[in-house]
Amino acid sequence: MTSFSPPVFTLPAAPVTRPDLKGTFGMVGSTHWIATASAQAVLERGGNAFDAAVAGAFVLHVVEPHLNGPGGDMTGVFVTADAPSAPRVLVGQGPAPAGATIEHYRAEGLDLVPGSGALAAAVPGSVDAWLLLLRDHGTWDLGDVLAYAIGYARDGHPLLARVSSTISLVADLFRDHWPTSAARWLPDGEVPAPGTVVTDPEYADLLDAVVAAGSTAETREEAIDLARAAWRERVGTAVEEFVRTPHRHADGGDHAGVMTAADVAGFEASYEDATTVTFRGYTVAKTGAWGQGPALLATLKILEGFDDAALDPSTELGAHTILEAQKLALADRDVWYGDPAADDVPLTYLLSEDYAARRRAVITDAASREVRPGEVPGHPTPPVPPLRTEYATSAPAGSLPGAPTGGAAAGVGEPTVPVSTSSTREPVVEPVETPDHTGATRGDTCHIDVVDRWGNMVSATPSGGWLQSSPTVPGLGFCLGTRLQMTWLDEASPSALVPGRRPRTTLTPTLVLRDGEPVIALGSPGGDQQDQWQLLFLLRVLVGGYTPQQAIDAPALHTTSFPGSFWPRTWTPGGAVVEDRLGDDVIAALVRRGHVVTRAGDWALGRLSAVTRDPATGLLGAAANPRGAQGYAAGR
């Protein structure tokens, strides 16, 4: 990584909120200290980065249930010590069920896939993906890896204040419409207070049964495959039986789900080669166009043609240039990206030097308030998604928690910046993860990064299946996710709802390589903002010479000038959300350029974590986000 060059980038603030950890043994960064500690414990006992990541991920299911769950999804990007120059993607994104057709949803009176309820659920993919990674690249037995999560589920863990506040916001929904969730999260009818030791015995029993399913196997790999089969059978049967009963969805109506046991049984996680571009001598690895990851790559290629001084997010010029480049890349994402198993996404062209130069030329000194996808020779341009600045449902007043006009329902979305009272994309001015004034709350995401002393490195973003996303499934102890809300009920869209097709997920971990060796793994929760916040980190570290912790601490910003990926899928033309620490002068200058600026507070945007590796010395590092006082890094 580069050394710091003061004349080019704004000096980083001093001191950092937390130290840049350094060591040679192993490093972990994640969005919850218990998950970080559990993963580090695996490293201390001789496990590798993959053993540690899987252990930490299952703990995240337990300790951050408002941010992810076993019924959700995940994506990961990793390299092994044996093949350090070949980044691979772990695909834990399940597809739409066989019954999830546009015709069926329209027959239900819907014009959007709801943001909560079983109709929004893709086939659960997270657990099978983690078990696949453990089978192929880990070293530990499954029971030892899952012991941490089973222990916290059975014996309890202290409830986060944010979990308690999330439950309080959806308590009436649970009591009135989702009785299984009320039984799970409202013991004695009351919201558990922060710090209460809570358990999930059903989930602990399920994990015990999954481990036991492999007890007759002759090899470790066979045991894990038997466990995967047991998971699919138990989960599929329970889900099919439960979702047959109509229940409240985000649109204010009651609908039955369409997922069956056959849908669950038919999904197996997989691997694929990462999509990569080069930037300033580094190789950046992301998912394919079934995720939003290539939008970060496209933004980097657009920005690569500017001088370093135009890439500093802490300046007027840098912030403006970054926001405008992101708008162009996200416009292409929303028009061109989709599951490549079903559509021919012209990704090579969209990430090419020539195309980046053409897109770069579109940027002016003034903020754009348009959605401007580019043209691809030989390909008709798909339609731009509907551009709504607000969205009202047909639900009567009071039928959804805190939504006076039937606006935002509990459990929708993923971004850490909540929607305002009008259900527009303009955020309120409260800190990250604070619910909006309507009482609506959004789900979010987790993240974990691990590097070990052998050179294995993994970055993964689990999400979905938030406690507020759909009713708790009896016998499982968790609920389904809502990733199908990222699809459109429009046959012409590359992201159309189609049975068997993956929704275009926002989950987007990142791996950075230099000279064929991994040097950084990073990621963040935040829905559409995930890659936007990671971009700031990459620019500050790779160009500005910041340390990882300096980059995580630095003031953040992002654009909202595109249709959101989450229900109700609205946008703010020219919208830019900034942390106040960006400074009054820079913020005022952005307004003069035409940006519609929302101040989010001093410490509101971004929840990044990262681990690093210096191939020349073997020195490892880690850094974590101070916002929310929840994420943590550990290592030695």
Side-chain angles (χ1 to χ4, degrees), residues 83-110:
S85 63
R88 299 278 282 165
V89 172
L90 174 63
V91 182
Q93 177 57 65
T101 65
I102 290 176
E103 294 76 16
H104 176 76
Y105 284 56
R106 286 176 175 164
E108 292 286 311
L110 300 168

Side-chain angles (χ1 to χ4, degrees), residues 171-576:
D172 287 343
L173 173 69
F174 287 3
R175 294 186 183 103
D176 296 341
H177 299 288
W178 295 0
T180 56
S181 293
R184 168 77 181 88
W185 293 108
L186 299 173
D188 302 319
E190 300 298 327
V191 176
T196 302
V197 176
V198 297
T199 63
D200 190 352
E202 284 189 321
Y203 186 45
D205 290 344
L206 177 60
L207 292 182
D208 276 337
V210 167
V211 172
S215 61
T216 61
E218 296 183 359
T219 67
R220 173 183 166 279
E221 292 75 14
E222 183 185 351
I224 294 174
D225 277 339
L226 289 173
R228 294 170 68 198
W231 173 270
R232 288 191 286 266
E233 193 279 328
R234 286 174 174 266
V235 170
T237 300
V239 165
E240 178 175 347
E241 180 178 352
F242 180 65
V243 301
R244 292 172 180 166
T245 302
H247 56 272
R248 183 57 46 93
H249 281 58
D251 68 310
D254 291 341
H255 310 278
V258 295
M259 193 177 300
T260 67
D263 292 318
V264 177
F267 172 76
E268 291 190 13
S270 60
Y271 305 108
E272 61 187 35
D273 291 336
T275 302
T276 62
V277 300
T278 58
F279 174 80
R280 295 289 202 273
Y282 293 87
T283 298
V284 183
K286 303 290 286 184
T287 70
W290 54 271
Q292 72 169 331
L296 173 62
L297 304 182
T299 310
L300 287 171
K301 297 309 292 183
I302 294 171
L303 294 175
E304 191 168 30
F306 289 99
D307 293 337
D308 288 358
L311 305 184
D312 182 357
S314 295
T315 66
E316 172 196 347
L317 176 60
H320 170 75
T321 304
I322 290 165
L323 289 168
E324 294 305 294
Q326 288 175 331
K327 292 176 190 176
L328 295 174
L330 289 167
D332 283 339
R333 180 200 72 171
D334 290 339
V335 165
W336 290 109
Y337 291 11
D339 189 343
D343 287 298
D344 178 21
V345 178
L347 194 57
T348 299
Y349 180 77
L350 293 172
L351 298 179
S352 68
E353 300 283 352
D354 289 345
Y355 184 70
R358 292 169 59 183
R359 299 296 272 161
R360 191 180 305 124
V362 175
I363 296 175
T364 69
D365 292 338
S368 170
R369 297 192 180 185
E370 300 177 281
V371 174
R372 300 180 291 177
E375 296 181 352
V376 177
H379 291 259
T381 303
V384 172
L387 299 177
R388 300 182 176 104
T389 56
E390 58 183 21
Y391 182 84
T393 76
S394 59
S399 66
L400 299 176
T405 61
V412 305
E414 183 183 276
T416 43
V417 177
V419 293
S420 70
T421 56
S422 63
S423 297
T424 71
R425 285 291 304 279
E426 180 182 355
V428 295
V429 188
E430 289 136 344
V432 66
E433 300 176 324
T434 304
D436 73 1
H437 296 303
T438 69
T441 180
R442 287 176 174 262
D444 198 357
T445 302
C446 304
H447 187 78
I448 187 167
D449 304 298
V450 187
V451 61
D452 64 30
R453 61 189 185 273
W454 300 288
N456 300 299
M457 183 180 282
V458 57
S459 175
T461 309
S463 186
W466 318 297
L467 67 89
Q468 65 275 28
S469 63
S470 60
T472 299
V473 181
L476 300 183
F478 59 83
C479 59
L480 294 172
T482 56
R483 189 64 57 184
L484 291 187
Q485 67 182 290
M486 318 198 86
T487 64
W488 293 99
L489 301 182
D490 177 1
E491 293 88 348
S493 171
S495 293
L497 176 66
V498 177
R501 187 186 296 185
R502 292 172 292 189
R504 194 214 69 221
T505 181
T506 52
L507 304 180
T508 178
T510 302
L511 203 67
V512 180
L513 298 88
R514 182 71 181 251
D515 298 327
E517 295 276 353
V519 293
I520 306 173
L522 74 148
S524 174
D528 288 316
Q529 287 76 53
Q530 288 182 25
D531 274 337
Q532 298 195 58
W533 296 334
Q534 291 181 71
L535 173 68
L536 307 179
F537 177 100
L538 292 172
L539 294 175
R540 284 171 167 140
V541 172
L542 303 185
V543 182
Y546 283 43
T547 69
Q549 193 63 53
Q550 288 171 337
I552 289 173
D553 286 358
L557 70 156
H558 64 263
T559 179
T560 55
S561 190
F562 58 93
S565 294
F566 297 89
W567 189 92
R569 313 210 71 171
T570 53
W571 77 311
T572 300

